[in-house]
Amino acid sequence: QVQLQQSGPGLVKPSQTLSLTCAISGDTISNNGASWTWIRQSPSRGLEWLGRIYYRSNWYNDYAPFVKSRMTINLDTSKNQFSLQLNSVTPEDTAVYYCTRLIGENWLDPWGQGTLVTVSP
Amino acid sequence: DIVMTQSPLSLSVTPGEPASISCRSSQSLLRRNGYNYLHWYLQKPGQSPQLLIYLGSDRASGVPDRFSGSGSGTDFTLKISRLEAEDVGVYYCMQGLQTPITFGPGTKVDIK
């Protein structure tokens, strides 16, 4: 059974960097059939796909246009985990952030437990 | 980007009665392989979304058979044959055809 465990701070100051980590158990980050993905959810914008990292003989990233200039997804194969960094945050970045696995370039399952990140002074 | 819409946005259902949610996409989700890249999720109160239906009509592991998905192309339906108390929450459709992956606004289902 695949499980994703998120960690990271719940409060970030404006203009600083939001950092979250997702630890994978029950699967390997280099699984050719999976993409490791970040989603966020807010009352005003609903569920938003942010980006992913995946292995297809090489490592690739794919980001949503609206965060592409500020976002980086990294990985640590030795710890079987991936991370999100979102730079220059504003209160608009306040949301619940989820890590999840995209299966077969298609559906998302499972999801991490979610982390509420508040951007405030 | 593919725009996903849902109707209704809220639904109150008597336990034991059926419920139906519609999802529409701004472009066809049917690929040449014959599969519709449309998926349904349920987010129970205080929880993360969980996969219910994938590829339009396949139930995820452990999902009761009172849940069914149908449709093709741009029009899809999620049906609950007999609503139970544990089915309350927000239901989302999602397209996996292309990135950025996009979601519908959600349909909130509660008990009447």
Side-chain angles (χ1 to χ4, degrees):
Chain A
Q1 181 186 1
V2 179
Q3 292 185 317
L4 304 177
Q5 181 67 38
Q6 298 176 218
S7 59
L11 181 63
V12 182
K13 289 181 168 45
S15 79
Q16 294 192 345
T17 297
L18 182 161
S19 296
L20 296 173
T21 297
C22 183
I24 304 161
S25 59
D27 198 355
T28 58
I29 197 164
S30 55
N31 178 352
N32 268 294
S35 300
W36 305 97
T37 302
W38 290 97
I39 304 278
R40 71 182 183 184
Q41 183 177 32
S42 63
S44 58
R45 294 186 301 276
L47 288 161
E48 294 182 296
W49 180 84
L50 299 176
R52 61 172 174 161
I53 189 166
Y54 56 102
Y55 183 75
R56 304 289 185 268
S57 303
N58 270 312
W59 288 101
Y60 297 93
N61 286 110
D62 192 7
Y63 298 110
F66 72 93
V67 289
K68 189 172 183 177
S69 63
R70 299 192 291 133
M71 182 167 165
T72 304
I73 299 177
N74 289 314
L75 61 96
D76 185 334
T77 55
S78 66
K79 294 182 179 179
N80 207 35
Q81 63 187 34
F82 62 109
S83 62
L84 161 68
Q85 284 194 308
L86 186 63
N87 302 324
S88 306
V89 296
T90 71
E92 293 293 303
D93 294 311
T94 294
V96 177
Y97 287 76
Y98 295 99
C99 62
T100 179
R101 179 182 64 166
L102 181 67
I103 298 174
E105 316 277 345
N106 212 325
W107 63 88
L108 298 167
D109 184 58
W111 296 56
Q113 79 274 25
T115 302
L116 172 60
V117 179
T118 302
V119 179
S120 180
Chain B
D1 298 2
I2 297 176
V3 177
M4 306 297 292
T5 56
Q6 290 181 232
S7 63
L9 298 183
S10 66
L11 198 53
S12 288
V13 183
T14 301
E17 292 297 303
S20 180
I21 300 169
S22 175
C23 174
R24 184 164 290 179
S25 58
S26 62
Q27 66 185 71
S28 177
L29 304 182
L30 178 63
R31 288 197 74 168
R32 290 180 183 179
N33 59 12
Y35 291 105
N36 284 283
Y37 282 26
L38 183 284
H39 320 295
W40 291 96
Y41 296 83
L42 166 60
Q43 187 172 29
K44 296 183 178 181
Q47 296 186 17
S48 305
Q50 60 188 76
L51 181 67
L52 283 179
I53 302 284
Y54 61 97
L55 296 176
S57 59
D58 290 340
R59 275 188 303 277
S61 176
V63 174
D65 61 7
R66 63 179 181 273
F67 291 94
S68 64
S70 63
S72 185
T74 61
D75 290 284
F76 300 89
T77 303
L78 176 71
K79 291 183 178 177
I80 310 171
S81 59
R82 296 173 307 280
L83 190 85
E84 298 191 5
E86 65 183 22
D87 301 335
V88 300
V90 182
Y91 291 78
Y92 295 96
C93 59
M94 182 205 99
Q95 65 82 17
L97 183 70
Q98 64 187 46
T99 58
I101 285 168
T102 48
F103 296 84
T107 296
K108 185 175 182 179
V109 175
D110 61 20
I111 298 293
K112 185 183 286 185

